[in-house]
């Protein structure tokens, strides 16, 4: 082990995407001077450089920015603050003692960190993970890979396209491919509702007259060297295919937009406990994981709908990490937060009873005129009404310390009408 370069540092930020950049900038502004960003790619900004459509920055800058424009603002700020960034460097392991082992072009490095921020983002689910039967021809891409090929490498992935999954990347790629001259035959969604933001349904499908097939899925891929067609089948309320509903769509390309998985392989090496629903870390209101001094933010914590919210969350993680390193973190009594009826998950997983907090959660089904209840056992602590809620949209609700000071637990659920 003598050939490992050992360095002491206050804070290591793992990942140089929007979450890592915002967390590092926030930590620096809150008093941490000895920090470093470790990024495995040879660029900063994560996936944003390939997202050339606008719609970024509305919450933070009140502007319509493209992905590269949004990323560049934080890249410039990190540069102005002289935050070191190690590119082309892969973190191999994090220990519970917050030793971070990094493979760099100059050799192995071990950072002995006082705190670590996990901001590694997420990855796309692939064909193998959803087990679509059929042959294995060329022409099957994840939506993100197709976006990268078209927007950054000027490679057109196909002319006749079917998209499986109505996640936001798939919807945006339906529009992008149409603008490039492809014929997008359909966006096929196994659920009875869409998985993308309503604004993307309107702007990417309805405005371009691209068919949306709900409660349908791709049940077989055909073709030898290249995709020649796919079989589409209707599904029932249990997501089982209904025999006799099969139809064939001739196409040369199938895009998959079937979900994102937080990249938490590293997190588990230091003992961070994961939430089985979000597949992200279990955190308190400081975004601190179950390992003291290790924080998580962005899509590695839970998959977000809007990058501005990634930034806001990461700024909180950077501030919390700074308080931890500087010894300003308070030891507080906390209560556990649970997802109840109609709610998919709630973050943070535990909250302080003595400070104002903001809860983030998603519902399971689209609902009009929804009321959300916050319970301590059977006692209703608070209700919040919404004109409509949708699983694709993250909901934020603030609770004051006067509302939580006397409760022993918290459950969030959609109230029955």
């Amino acid at each position: 082990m003598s050939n490992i370069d050992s360095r002491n540092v206050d804070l290591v930020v793992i990942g140089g995407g929007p979450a890592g950049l915002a967390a590092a900038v926030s930590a620096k502004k809150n008093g941490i001077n000895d920090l470093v960003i470790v990024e495995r790619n040879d660029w900063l900004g994560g996936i944003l450089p390939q997202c050339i459509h606008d719609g970024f920055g509305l919450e933070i800058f009140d502007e319509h920015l493209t992905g590269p424009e949004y990323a560049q603002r934080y890249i410039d700020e990190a540069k102005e603050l002289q935050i070191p960034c190690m590119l082309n460097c892969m973190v191999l392991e994090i220990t519970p003692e917050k030793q971070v082992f990094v493979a760099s072009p100059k050799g192995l490095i071990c950072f002995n960190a006082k705190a670590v921020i996990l901001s590694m983002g997420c990855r796309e689910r692939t064909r193998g993970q959803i087990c679509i039967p059929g042959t294995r021809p060329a022409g099957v891409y994840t939506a993100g890979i197709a976006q990268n090929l078209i927007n950054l490498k000027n490679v057109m992935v196909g002319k006749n396209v079917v998209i499986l999954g109505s996640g936001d990347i798939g919807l945006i790629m339906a529009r992008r491919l149409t603008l490039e001259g492809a014929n997008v035959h359909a966006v096929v969604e196994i659920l009875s509702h869409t998985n993308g933001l309503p604004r993307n349904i309107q702007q990417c499908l309805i405005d371009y007259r691209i068919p949306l097939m709900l409660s349908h899925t791709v049940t077989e891929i055909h073709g030898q060297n290249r995709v020649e067609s796919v079989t589409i089948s209707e599904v029932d309320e249990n997501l089982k295919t209904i025999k006799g509903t099969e139809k064939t769509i001739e196409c040369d390309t199938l895009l998959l937009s079937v979900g994102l998985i937080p990249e938490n392989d590293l997190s588990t090496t230091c003992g961070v406990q994961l939430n089985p629903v979000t597949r992200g870390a279990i955190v308190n209101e400081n975004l601190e994981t179950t390992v003291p001094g290790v924080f998580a933010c962005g899509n590695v914590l839970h998959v977000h709908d809007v990058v501005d919210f990634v930034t806001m969350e990461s700024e909180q993680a950077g501030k919390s990490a700074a308080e931890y390193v500087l010894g300003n973190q308070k030891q507080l009594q906390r209560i556990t937060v649970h997802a109840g009826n109609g709610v998919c998950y709630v973050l943070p997983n535990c909250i302080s009873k003595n400070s104002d907090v903001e809860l983030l959660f998603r519902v399971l089904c689209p609902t009009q005129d929804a009321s959300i209840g916050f319970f301590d056992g059977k006692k209703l602590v608070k209700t919040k009404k919404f004109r409509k809620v949708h699983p694709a949209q993250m909901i934020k609700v603030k609770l004051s310390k006067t509302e939580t000071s006397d409760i022993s637990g918290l459950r969030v659920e959609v109230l029955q009408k």
Side-chain angles (χ1 to χ4, degrees), residues 176-240:
R176 185 78 178 100
L177 286 160
T178 302
L179 290 172
E180 290 294 333
N183 185 4
V184 179
H185 295 275
V187 172
V188 181
E189 171 57 58
I190 193 170
L191 298 176
S192 59
H193 58 80
T194 59
N195 254 329
L197 292 171
R199 74 182 189 198
N200 284 332
I201 298 295
Q202 178 66 48
Q203 297 172 3
C204 300
L205 297 189
I206 297 174
D207 287 356
Y208 290 86
R209 298 181 179 179
I210 297 172
L212 172 63
M213 301 174 68
L214 297 175
S215 298
H216 284 74
T217 191
V218 174
T219 48
E220 190 161 359
I221 299 172
H222 308 279
Q224 292 302 316
N225 297 322
R226 178 83 192 190
V227 173
E228 297 173 0
S229 64
V230 294
T231 299
I232 309 293
S233 301
E234 190 174 351
V235 300
D236 61 19
E237 62 274 14
N238 297 313
L239 306 184
K240 301 294 184 184

Side-chain angles (χ1 to χ4, degrees), residues 99-360:
Q99 288 182 306
V100 181
F101 291 89
V102 179
S104 79
K106 295 182 179 179
L108 290 175
I109 301 172
C110 174
F111 287 108
N112 301 299
K114 294 179 182 176
V116 175
I117 295 179
L118 307 171
S119 51
M120 296 86 77
C122 58
R123 63 177 181 269
E124 294 179 283
R125 294 179 75 200
T126 64
R127 176 184 176 181
Q129 290 167 314
I130 57 175
C131 302
I132 304 175
T135 55
R136 301 180 63 83
V140 180
Y141 303 90
T142 63
I145 291 295
Q147 185 181 54
N148 182 285
L149 289 170
I150 294 173
N151 292 347
L152 295 185
K153 299 181 173 60
N154 200 29
V155 174
M156 190 62 176
V157 297
K159 296 181 179 178
N160 290 287
V161 183
V162 170
I163 299 177
L164 175 59
S166 62
D168 288 311
I169 304 177
L171 299 177
I172 289 165
M173 284 310 298
R175 177 179 62 185
R176 185 78 178 100
L177 286 160
T178 302
L179 290 172
E180 290 294 333
N183 185 4
V184 179
H185 295 275
V187 172
V188 181
E189 171 57 58
I190 193 170
L191 298 176
S192 59
H193 58 80
T194 59
N195 254 329
L197 292 171
R199 74 182 189 198
N200 284 332
I201 298 295
Q202 178 66 48
Q203 297 172 3
C204 300
L205 297 189
I206 297 174
D207 287 356
Y208 290 86
R209 298 181 179 179
I210 297 172
L212 172 63
M213 301 174 68
L214 297 175
S215 298
H216 284 74
T217 191
V218 174
T219 48
E220 190 161 359
I221 299 172
H222 308 279
Q224 292 302 316
N225 297 322
R226 178 83 192 190
V227 173
E228 297 173 0
S229 64
V230 294
T231 299
I232 309 293
S233 301
E234 190 174 351
V235 300
D236 61 19
E237 62 274 14
N238 297 313
L239 306 184
K240 301 294 184 184
T241 55
I242 302 173
K243 290 186 177 179
T245 62
E246 300 87 355
K247 61 184 73 173
T248 299
I249 300 179
E250 293 185 0
C251 59
D252 58 26
T253 302
L254 174 66
L255 294 196
L256 304 177
S257 178
V258 289
L260 301 168
I261 302 171
E263 290 262 25
N264 273 303
D265 297 335
L266 269 179
S267 309
T268 56
T269 65
C270 67
V272 167
Q273 294 180 24
L274 302 183
N275 181 323
V277 176
T278 62
R279 298 192 183 188
I282 293 173
V283 296
N284 62 28
E285 77 279 1
N286 295 325
L287 301 177
E288 188 175 21
T289 69
T290 51
V291 177
V294 177
F295 301 79
C297 57
N299 283 345
V300 79
L301 178 58
H302 61 130
V303 177
H304 290 63
D305 50 352
V306 177
V307 74
D308 297 55
F309 296 153
V310 168
T311 298
M312 295 175 188
E313 183 178 89
S314 302
E315 289 172 344
Q316 176 60 49
K319 180 181 178 183
S320 299
E323 290 174 346
Y324 179 88
V325 171
L326 298 174
N328 297 329
Q329 189 184 63
K330 298 177 181 177
Q331 297 299 317
L332 301 171
Q333 183 182 3
R334 292 191 170 88
I335 57 174
T336 303
V337 183
H338 298 283
N341 292 334
V343 175
C344 181
Y345 70 84
V346 186
L347 282 173
N349 305 95
C350 55
I351 59 173
S352 164
K353 297 173 60 174
N354 301 311
S355 58
D356 299 339
V357 296
E358 184 175 62
L359 297 180
L360 310 178

Side-chain angles (χ1 to χ4, degrees), residues 48-54 56 66-68 147 150-152 176:
L48 288 178
Q50 71 184 53
C51 301
I52 63 173
H53 55 281
D54 67 6
F56 301 90
T66 65
Q147 185 181 54
I150 294 173
N151 292 347
L152 295 185
R176 185 78 178 100

Side-chain angles (χ1 to χ4, degrees), residues 40-105:
R40 65 184 175 186
N41 292 312
D42 60 359
W43 71 86
L44 294 172
I47 198 173
L48 288 178
Q50 71 184 53
C51 301
I52 63 173
H53 55 281
D54 67 6
F56 301 90
L58 284 171
E59 298 287 337
I60 293 179
F61 301 112
D62 195 24
E63 296 180 56
H64 281 278
L65 302 176
T66 65
E69 289 171 333
Y70 186 93
Q72 195 61 47
R73 295 199 177 190
Y74 289 92
I75 294 171
D76 291 344
E77 192 167 12
K79 187 176 181 180
E80 289 173 6
L81 292 171
Q82 298 182 332
I83 297 173
C85 300
M86 296 177 59
L87 302 181
N88 282 320
C89 292
M90 174 73 79
V91 176
L92 304 177
E93 182 183 1
I94 313 166
T95 71
E97 295 75 26
K98 294 183 282 295
Q99 288 182 306
V100 181
F101 291 89
V102 179
S104 79

